[in-house]
Amino acid sequence: MHTTDAAASEPGVFANGIWKQNPVLVQVLGMCPVLAVSNTTINALAMGLATASVLILSSATVSLLRHWIPPQARIVTFIMVIATFVTCVDYLVQSISIELHRALGAFLSLIVVNCLVLGRAEAFASQQSVRRSLADAAGMGCGFLFALLCLGTVRELVGSGQVFGYPLLGDRYQGWAIMLLPPGGFFSLAGWLMFFRWWTLRRHSASGSTFQLSGPTDG
Amino acid sequence: MLKRTLQLRTSPHLHSGTSVEAIMFHVALATLPACAFAVYHFGLAALLVLSVSVITCVLTEHVVCHCRRQPTTVADGAAIVTGLLYGMTLPPSLPLWMVVLGAIVAVGVGKMLFGGLGANPFNPALVGRAFLQTAFPLAMTTWSSTASDRFTSVSRSTFTWPLMRPDYDPSSTDGISGATALGLWKSEGTLLPLPDLFWGTVPGCVGETSAALLLLGGLYLIARGMMSWRIPLAILTTVAVGSLLVDQFESERRFDPLTMWFSGGLMLGAMFMATDMVGSPLTGWGCVLYGVGIGALVLIIRGWGGMPEGVMYAILLGNAVSPLIDRYIHPRLFETRQRSAAR
């Protein structure tokens, strides 16, 4: 998939991450935080922003250091760079709101092992210029944030009738507790995947171009 | 369906001559006594719950078939049976919009998403009920009592606006707290009289109260050879033996085998849910193992779990392991002493 990226300009690289290779809705990467902390919109927003900032900072650093990282020890180096920024973001979230930090729980520290972050460092940032790496990380980060917000909005709206804590559906609304619990994460992820796949297929069949279904890449 | 019993093709060569339609017709027939009693016992509310669930299940199957551009499979009657069994597991005062939602999940997610009849790993009726139990725990554990005007009026909660919180009658608050036999047993340690439990004149879900009529329906299906007798036998034996064992060591908890049998959804589950041909193992010993596992889980969840009743989760877990049971227990090869080789 990276051969096509090489020709694209920075805006193209950025848009690629948001839409055509959206990390959650197309590549199906980093499912653990996507399913676990998308139970409310505010959690999804915080998790998406935290992951996006770690992604941007680590991609830029890896790209800066790419000529000095020995290929034999590259994964270890990437993980150490990522872990450093995750620790920074973890302290930052703690200083902003301790309740938010508690709600995100272990998943904030687990950004270290998010295969999306490591995957972009290995597949893109370690081979490309800093500018292009920044564009790629920003695109992927925004795509991740967008997908998390999609899930979080649906789960909070159906689960408790609220969005960002604002009672959108009135106070007589009967929330579906299952949507706030783990099964709701799977239901809404499946629903969004189905919707985006259907939409992409429909757009491509309307334009008449030959389109091949790209399955989830291994990551 | 083919009527010939000997078929000249690759194995199997023998066809029993029955069809999906015939089996579904007899299963529906076997549930009718219990459904009729439910309408007598709970009144109009039970009739509404049962008919809404059957209609929604059939419509969901038809619509999903239509969306997949496939010929509709409604005519095989499986959706009607799913609807009846699903309706029987619901509390009678459940808002009808929840009945509709659960029925859509039961047939749409529990059956059609997996590829329709025969491809579903879990019992669709229980998938629908499990969804409702997790989504609306309060409404699913609110039981109405049997009022004298039950044939002319229904609880206010039945006609709740879609997606709105149900409103239970303040006048019949005793009905709201009309705890089931298992709820009373678990919270207060009191046992309801056995004859009431056996005939079904107790609060509970629509079709689960009358153990006698469910037993009758089950025996009818066994006599017709349309149901594995090993599964209900294994479940009921395990529950009885297990209760007696627990009673030996912890007599103050009052594990009475007959109360365990006739209360809650055990009879409905053992006779009609666990014996679902799709979700149960293929071999005789596999069925025994499956039944023993379900019985043990029922007892464990009832005795030590957070909820008073655990038949639903026990059967769903049993469905989940039944492919594994089939993987390890193979049928005996014809005229030999060995079992067929592992794949």
Side-chain angles (χ1 to χ4, degrees):
Chain A
M1 58 185 182
H2 312 292
T3 49
T4 52
D5 299 350
S9 58
E10 280 88 3
V13 169
F14 177 76
N16 198 34
I18 293 182
W19 191 253
K20 225 162 95 191
Q21 289 193 4
N22 185 296
V24 176
L25 299 168
V26 177
Q27 301 190 61
V28 201
L29 288 176
M31 283 299 105
C32 188
V34 167
L35 293 168
V37 275
S38 61
N39 51 354
T40 64
T41 331
I42 195 79
N43 283 0
L45 180 71
M47 189 68 206
L49 284 178
T51 312
S53 41
V54 169
L55 188 58
I56 292 170
L57 290 170
S58 61
S59 274
T61 314
V62 165
S63 178
L64 265 177
L65 300 175
R66 68 186 186 277
H67 298 303
W68 293 279
I69 296 174
Q72 296 88 345
R74 65 186 196 284
I75 301 288
V76 160
T77 321
F78 298 158
I79 291 285
M80 282 178 63
V81 169
I82 296 165
T84 312
F85 289 119
V86 168
T87 313
C88 297
V89 168
D90 190 86
Y91 284 139
L92 188 69
V93 174
Q94 267 189 52
S95 72
I96 293 169
S97 159
I98 198 77
E99 288 104 67
L100 188 63
H101 187 264
R102 215 164 281 149
L104 297 181
F107 291 100
L108 208 50
S109 334
L110 283 175
I111 298 176
V112 180
V113 289
N114 190 327
C115 52
L116 167 67
V117 182
L118 183 64
R120 287 339 277 177
E122 161 79 6
F124 200 96
S126 62
Q127 299 157 12
Q128 305 270 353
S129 69
V130 179
R131 279 174 58 124
R132 290 172 57 81
S133 295
L134 271 174
D136 174 72
M140 288 288 165
C142 288
F144 191 77
L145 176 66
F146 168 68
L148 264 170
L149 279 177
C150 283
L151 261 80
T153 316
V154 165
R155 285 180 73 180
E156 193 182 353
L157 185 68
V158 179
S160 57
Q162 301 176 335
V163 170
F164 285 113
Y166 177 77
L168 209 61
L169 296 177
D171 52 355
R172 293 275 299 137
Y173 177 75
Q174 166 74 58
W176 308 10
I178 195 168
M179 292 304 278
L180 302 176
L181 297 170
F186 287 95
F187 286 147
S188 44
L189 177 67
W192 280 114
L193 282 176
M194 201 162 78
F195 173 72
F196 279 103
R197 180 54 55 91
W198 169 79
W199 195 6
T200 319
L201 278 176
R202 206 188 58 148
R203 239 177 23 162
H204 279 268
S205 65
S207 64
S209 67
T210 52
F211 174 71
Q212 286 183 335
L213 277 181
S214 59
T217 55
D218 50 348
Chain B
M1 259 308 175
L2 290 166
K3 287 282 184 284
R4 279 219 318 247
T5 54
L6 183 66
Q7 308 204 359
L8 300 174
R9 55 179 172 90
T10 53
S11 65
H13 301 289
L14 280 173
H15 192 283
S16 67
T18 62
S19 61
V20 174
E21 290 86 347
I23 291 177
M24 291 302 166
F25 172 75
H26 286 289
V27 173
L29 200 65
T31 61
L32 275 189
C35 290
F37 176 79
V39 175
Y40 161 73
H41 183 51
F42 294 109
L44 207 54
L47 185 67
L48 279 172
V49 167
L50 285 172
S51 33
V52 165
S53 64
V54 170
I55 293 169
T56 316
C57 281
V58 172
L59 277 181
T60 308
E61 180 154 338
H62 186 73
V63 167
V64 174
C65 285
H66 181 77
C67 289
R68 296 174 68 192
R69 296 186 182 80
Q70 287 178 345
T72 181
T73 49
V74 167
D76 66 15
I80 297 173
V81 169
T82 301
L84 275 175
L85 291 178
Y86 159 75
M88 288 168 88
T89 64
L90 300 176
S93 56
L94 193 72
L96 289 179
W97 72 264
M98 292 185 189
V99 179
V100 170
L101 181 72
I104 293 172
V105 172
V107 174
V109 177
K111 185 168 128 186
M112 300 313 281
L113 268 190
F114 289 99
L117 183 67
N120 47 309
F122 298 102
N123 185 324
L126 288 181
V127 170
R129 189 189 200 275
F131 180 87
L132 288 188
Q133 175 82 60
T134 322
F136 314 112
L138 194 67
M140 286 295 284
T141 47
T142 304
W143 315 98
S144 63
S145 63
T146 51
S148 53
D149 61 345
R150 61 185 186 272
F151 296 114
T152 49
S153 70
V154 293
S155 159
R156 231 163 58 188
S157 58
T158 301
F159 289 114
T160 311
W161 279 102
L163 304 181
M164 293 297 140
R165 201 175 303 123
D167 198 10
Y168 291 97
D169 305 330
S171 56
S172 62
T173 36
D174 56 328
I176 302 307
S177 59
T180 57
L182 282 170
L184 279 175
W185 169 75
K186 192 149 190 170
S187 59
E188 291 160 34
T190 50
L191 299 181
L192 289 180
L194 264 183
D196 286 358
L197 283 177
F198 184 67
W199 297 113
T201 50
V202 288
C205 293
V206 167
E208 72 172 16
T209 58
S210 176
L213 294 173
L214 290 167
L215 207 56
L216 185 75
L219 290 176
Y220 170 75
L221 284 182
I222 290 173
R224 280 212 159 257
M226 290 178 170
M227 187 170 100
S228 161
W229 54 270
R230 291 180 179 89
I231 297 173
L233 192 70
I235 294 177
L236 295 178
T237 314
T238 312
V239 168
V241 172
S243 311
L244 284 174
L245 272 178
V246 176
D247 210 38
Q248 292 295 311
F249 298 107
E250 290 186 62
S251 54
E252 73 279 4
R253 298 196 56 178
R254 308 184 73 179
F255 269 79
D256 177 44
L258 287 178
T259 307
M260 282 289 147
W261 272 13
F262 299 143
S263 56
L266 184 65
M267 223 26 106
L268 178 63
M271 288 296 167
F272 291 102
M273 302 287 188
T275 53
D276 177 13
M277 289 179 180
V278 182
S280 54
L282 300 169
T283 55
W285 281 111
C287 283
V288 171
L289 192 62
Y290 168 81
V292 169
I294 290 177
L297 277 171
V298 167
L299 212 58
I300 290 169
I301 298 176
R302 281 185 179 180
W304 295 275
M307 296 164 294
E309 176 59 308
V311 172
M312 170 179 73
Y313 291 120
I315 295 174
L316 286 173
L317 284 168
N319 286 342
V321 296
S322 95
L324 194 69
I325 295 175
D326 279 335
R327 180 82 174 72
Y328 288 107
I329 296 188
H330 291 270
R332 197 174 290 280
L333 290 177
F334 184 59
E335 286 217 327
T336 64
R337 285 170 175 275
Q338 332 156 347
R339 297 184 170 272
S340 57
R343 273 154 289 183

